[in-house]
Amino acid sequence: MNIHRFRQACNSLLVGAALLAASATQAARVETAGPLAAPQIVGLWSWTDESQCVESYEYRSDGTGRVSSGNEQTDVSYVFSSVPVADDFFELNVTIRHNSGGKDCLGQNADDSGETYRVFVHFRQGEDSHLVCYRPDVTQCFGPLYRQALPRF
């Protein structure tokens, strides 16, 4: 074997070894990556309805939160699923702990303390907005709600 062919053979072996190592590294990354993380509901979200009434939803990491709708303030507790129930819809179960009264964006002025409800959250545009749906599809939804910066005190 002449020196030129020897160098070609060595270069081919080095390139092949490098590609094999890169493939093995990529395969290891895929195997250890695991399932994708659920979108985060924690934070402050808001939307404005057709009558220009603003609703804000604050979800804290401890499972509590506050909903502001028109003149009404509501303290809630919630459980947010980390696994989608269907086609990227995440279940959100809410219990109303305390209602301050006042007219909400629907024009209602009722104390609904103690009531519970279940909705399905569908994240859009890179998790910075979502729809709130009454079923795990987009036939009965409101929003989109947009992530807001939390006020700093």
Side-chain angles (χ1 to χ4, degrees), residues 24-131:
T25 302
Q26 185 65 26
R29 281 189 198 133
V30 169
E31 287 178 16
T32 60
L36 294 175
Q40 293 296 311
I41 194 76
V42 171
L44 180 63
W45 303 86
S46 71
W47 82 292
T48 304
D49 70 11
E50 302 84 30
S51 66
Q52 300 305 302
C53 188
V54 176
E55 290 193 347
S56 297
Y57 298 78
E58 179 186 357
Y59 299 104
R60 300 180 196 115
S61 61
D62 66 357
T64 65
R66 173 164 274 208
V67 177
S68 299
S69 177
N71 293 324
E72 179 185 64
Q73 302 287 317
T74 304
D75 293 319
V76 301
S77 57
Y78 73 94
V79 176
F80 181 69
S81 70
S82 61
V83 177
V85 293
D87 296 328
D88 297 326
F89 285 86
F90 294 84
E91 188 173 342
L92 175 63
N93 290 287
V94 178
T95 300
I96 299 170
R97 295 183 346 203
H98 174 72
N99 184 305
S100 70
K103 194 179 278 190
D104 65 15
C105 287
L106 295 175
Q108 298 175 349
N109 188 8
D111 182 2
D112 45 9
S113 298
E115 291 186 23
T116 62
Y117 62 90
R118 177 179 69 165
V119 293
F120 300 90
V121 178
H122 180 69
F123 287 89
R124 304 169 20 170
Q125 303 172 3
E127 298 181 25
D128 286 332
S129 70
H130 68 264
L131 296 175

